[in-house]
Amino acid sequence: MAFLEVKNYRKRFGDTEVLKGISFSLEKGEVLAVIGSSGGGKTTLLRCLNFLEIPDEGTLTLGGEVLFEAGQGKAALARLRKKRLHFGLVFQQFNLFPQYTVYKNILLAQALLAKEAFQRKKKDFAAVLKAAPPSERKKLKGEQRKILSEIRANQKQRMEERTERLLVRVGLSEKRDAYPYQLSGGQQQRVAIARALALSPDILCFDEPTSALDPELTGEVLRVIKGLKSSDSTMIVVTHEMEFAKSVADHVIFIADGVIEEEGTPEEVFGSPRSEKTRAFLRSSEQNRLGGEDA
Amino acid sequence: MFWQVTLNLLEGFGVTCLIFAATLVCALPLGLILAFGSMSKFKPLKAVVKVFVWIIRGTPLMLQILVIYYGPALLFGWGFLDRVVAVIVAFVINYACYFSEIYRGGIESISKGQYEAGQVLGMTKSQIFFKVVLLQVVKRIVPPMSNEVITLVKDTSLARIIVVEEILKVAYDYTIRGLIWPLFYTAVYYLIFVGVLTLLFGFIEKKLNYFRV
Ligand SMILES: Nc1ncnc2c1ncn2[C@@H]1O[C@H](COP(=O)(O)OP(=O)(O)O)[C@@H](O)[C@H]1O
Ligand SMILES: [Mg+2]
């Protein structure tokens, strides 16, 4: 069984069915490129993977564990928050938090999770203390306090080191104290990538990470994403940059009207597409690219 | 004479300030509750709040003061509220409704992307509200809030309709007795008060200038 298995994902909004049974699988460490003309359902697919939308039908298995199975009712949906952490998502529009510095943007989610873990630990300790005989409580309390402060210090150090490392990885160490509005689009998107990486998701998704950028800024973002490939991360990239898809992807799927019209290795999909729709799409995107260069 | 008038007006100004402060302290949180009510997914609650806000914003504050003061006595034969209390209750209700609309506008102006970014980072709803959305909302609503609060300063003069001894009432009583300048003199108090508030809001706006939304 593959690392990620998506089976028969379906999603409708009102009367329109946007995903009409999408199935694919992905091995750990692989990069999947998703291409297709706009309105085909690519964003909806990513949103379903991240549980921003709940599929009407289908199952999702990750590392052998069933993360999602349609029709399990409200209780299962309530538990989705933790399951979201298996996935990261980089948005087309960055969606950085404007009131925080670059550093804090990357740190925030880690800090909140660490705090939750810390509070749980504290509660456990309090319960232990209550159960202990009164004569030993004072000593125990002192010990607990020491352990807790160590845990906190450890957490802090780990988060800070991690954040610094991520800043280096996206090449923005010198911008750590800048606010989002002070950055170019390309820099903002790199921060968003670091922010998504901060929680070490099993699978990182990108929704057209460069289409909100000026053409001269796409290169730096694509380079960062390519750089991630060398490590062991598994990625799903929705993109209009065909050259990028060719060079970075292990697998490509072409989505049209809510179904996977074609899939295979980059060589197969770009080199010898079987479906007429794929050929038409590739022709028109090639024309757009050339047209864009002329202009 | 001048000092006597100044002191008397100051006393009235104290009542004005009391109405002002009590209204802010109660209406600011109450407005937030109403705002959440008006955005609730629970349709009946939403409808009730919206109708309530519509009625309060759609009728004069002066009328509301009269209803709150005379209503319980005339309709149910209950006693009268203390005049100042009645005024404050009317102001709190009225301003909570206006504030709620400002809050709602602020909250709804935050892009869906901010919530979603929080969600995919595993944040809870309350974490998203307090850590991500709130400060952005505050920044957005400071300008309309400052307008509303400055209006409140001047609206306090409506209290004289049920003979509350706020500053304008005190001055007006002089006028009835043939002395007109204290009435104009009140402007000094209002202007100083509003001036201080303007500086304060300017300060808050500047404090929040370090980021853009
Ligand atoms: N929340 C929604 N409500 C209604 N329709 C939606 C919603 N989200 C997406 N759609 C529709 O689903 C279709 C696919 O959209 P999308 O997934 O964004 O495609 P893509 O990312 O491939 O351009 C579009 O026709 C879009 O209008
Ligand atoms: Mg899209």
Side-chain angles (χ1 to χ4, degrees):
Chain A
M1 190 184 222
F3 182 54
L4 171 71
E5 301 248 4
V6 173
K7 286 220 182 79
N8 193 33
Y9 254 29
R10 285 174 184 272
K11 178 72 189 174
R12 55 166 60 244
F13 295 109
D15 286 339
T16 46
E17 188 162 41
V18 176
L19 299 181
K20 300 170 184 162
I22 300 266
S23 305
F24 65 91
S25 57
L26 194 62
E27 291 298 340
K28 198 165 186 149
E30 285 186 336
V31 176
L32 172 70
V34 180
I35 58 173
S37 43
S38 108
K42 304 180 299 300
T43 297
T44 305
L45 175 62
L46 287 194
R47 291 171 61 83
C48 284
L49 292 176
N50 282 274
F51 306 123
L52 287 176
E53 306 283 358
I54 305 302
D56 302 320
E57 273 180 49
T59 55
L60 186 153
T61 318
L62 185 75
E65 181 196 354
V66 178
L67 281 194
F68 175 80
E69 202 169 354
Q72 278 193 323
K74 287 223 148 114
L77 294 184
R79 287 195 296 274
L80 278 183
R81 179 168 82 94
K82 281 281 181 267
K83 298 188 174 173
R84 280 206 179 102
L85 294 176
H86 291 289
F87 291 87
L89 177 59
V90 173
F91 299 86
Q92 194 171 341
Q93 300 293 345
F94 333 134
N95 292 336
L96 293 180
F97 305 134
Q99 73 269 43
Y100 294 126
T101 60
V102 166
Y103 185 81
K104 187 78 193 280
N105 260 279
I106 301 171
L107 186 84
L108 182 66
Q110 300 175 72
L112 292 174
L113 286 176
K115 199 165 166 193
E116 275 177 49
F118 182 74
Q119 300 293 0
R120 270 199 304 277
K121 191 88 202 162
K122 221 166 144 180
K123 240 192 191 153
D124 292 348
F125 273 18
V128 170
L129 195 64
K130 220 172 163 188
S135 55
E136 290 176 23
R137 276 194 199 155
K138 196 162 176 190
K139 187 162 153 261
L140 193 60
K141 198 169 180 179
E143 283 169 10
Q144 285 190 346
R145 196 169 288 159
K146 203 164 139 244
I147 297 173
L148 283 175
S149 75
E150 268 170 24
I151 291 177
R152 196 85 191 109
N154 258 333
Q155 280 185 337
K156 250 186 109 179
Q157 199 194 345
R158 265 207 311 271
M159 290 186 315
E160 281 165 7
E161 282 172 5
R162 185 171 180 77
T163 305
E164 299 288 354
R165 267 204 312 278
L166 286 167
L167 278 170
V168 173
R169 208 153 158 196
V170 298
L172 286 171
S173 294
E174 76 284 9
K175 294 284 183 194
R176 75 193 293 279
D177 296 320
Y179 287 90
Y181 81 92
Q182 296 166 317
L183 303 178
S184 72
Q187 290 170 330
Q188 290 191 48
Q189 192 59 299
R190 281 145 68 194
V191 176
I193 292 170
R195 182 178 70 172
L197 285 170
L199 297 177
S200 329
D202 293 313
I203 296 182
L204 185 52
C205 305
F206 297 82
D207 190 7
E208 301 192 25
T210 57
S211 37
L213 300 177
D214 294 336
E216 69 270 22
L217 298 177
T218 59
E220 59 186 76
V221 172
L222 295 180
R223 262 196 304 283
V224 166
I225 299 174
K226 250 185 198 164
L228 300 178
K229 187 182 155 66
S230 57
S231 53
D232 65 341
S233 51
T234 314
M235 298 191 279
I236 300 176
V237 188
V238 172
T239 183
H240 281 162
E241 306 275 341
M242 294 306 148
E243 290 308 312
F244 173 70
K246 264 183 221 171
S247 66
V248 80
D250 301 293
H251 282 287
V252 179
I253 62 182
F254 167 65
I255 292 187
D257 297 323
V259 295
I260 296 183
E261 184 70 24
E262 177 120 16
E263 70 174 302
T265 63
E267 293 75 32
E268 287 165 352
V269 174
F270 292 109
S272 50
R274 290 184 300 270
S275 139
E276 181 47 43
K277 272 193 193 168
T278 318
R279 281 195 287 271
F281 171 75
L282 291 174
R283 261 199 311 276
S284 78
S285 76
E286 181 72 6
Q287 268 159 17
N288 281 343
R289 190 170 72 88
L290 295 177
E293 274 170 16
D294 286 347
Chain B
M1 184 66 198
F2 178 75
W3 287 114
Q4 189 52 47
V5 171
T6 302
L7 281 177
N8 272 349
L9 288 184
L10 201 58
E11 219 166 282
F13 187 62
V15 176
T16 297
C17 288
L18 173 70
I19 298 170
F20 174 83
T23 302
L24 272 195
V25 167
C26 302
L28 285 173
L30 186 62
L32 194 57
I33 294 170
L34 287 175
F36 283 126
S38 73
M39 293 184 292
S40 168
K41 287 202 189 94
F42 183 57
K43 290 269 161 61
L45 176 65
K46 182 175 168 151
V48 167
V49 173
K50 290 228 163 194
V51 169
F52 182 74
V53 170
W54 170 64
I55 290 172
I56 298 296
R57 295 209 312 165
T59 55
L61 176 51
M62 192 187 281
L63 181 60
Q64 292 159 18
I65 297 171
L66 292 172
V67 167
I68 299 248
Y69 185 62
Y70 292 109
L74 296 182
L75 290 178
F76 309 111
W78 299 344
F80 286 94
L81 282 173
D82 177 77
R83 289 169 193 279
V84 177
V85 173
V87 161
I88 289 173
V89 169
F91 271 75
V92 167
I93 293 172
N94 184 275
Y95 271 83
C97 287
Y98 278 94
F99 289 159
S100 81
E101 287 294 284
I102 293 177
Y103 289 137
R104 191 173 61 84
I107 291 172
E108 285 179 349
S109 75
I110 304 301
S111 83
K112 224 174 72 197
Q114 291 289 306
Y115 293 90
E116 294 181 345
Q119 277 175 293
V120 297
L121 290 167
M123 294 184 198
T124 61
K125 270 194 175 153
S126 79
Q127 284 172 341
I128 292 172
F129 183 76
F130 287 106
K131 298 284 179 181
V132 175
V133 176
L134 186 61
L135 196 62
Q136 298 182 46
V137 172
V138 170
K139 186 179 167 85
R140 290 243 164 111
I141 67 176
V142 167
M145 270 295 177
S146 106
N147 279 335
E148 212 54 57
V149 168
I150 284 168
T151 305
L152 171 60
V153 174
K154 293 164 292 176
D155 271 358
T156 53
S157 62
L158 290 172
R160 77 176 195 288
I161 195 72
I162 55 168
V163 210
V164 167
E165 297 287 330
E166 51 76 42
I167 183 167
L168 208 68
K169 165 83 168 53
V170 175
Y172 197 66
D173 288 346
Y174 279 110
T175 310
I176 292 168
R177 280 179 265 137
L179 196 62
I180 198 150
W181 63 263
L183 199 55
F184 300 121
Y185 186 27
T186 59
V188 174
Y189 289 81
Y190 284 114
L191 284 173
I192 289 173
F193 196 2
V194 169
V196 169
L197 287 174
T198 306
L199 289 177
L200 186 70
F201 277 108
F203 175 76
I204 297 173
E205 265 182 61
K206 216 163 145 196
K207 270 272 161 199
L208 291 172
N209 242 346
Y210 68 91
F211 70 97
R212 308 233 172 107
V213 286

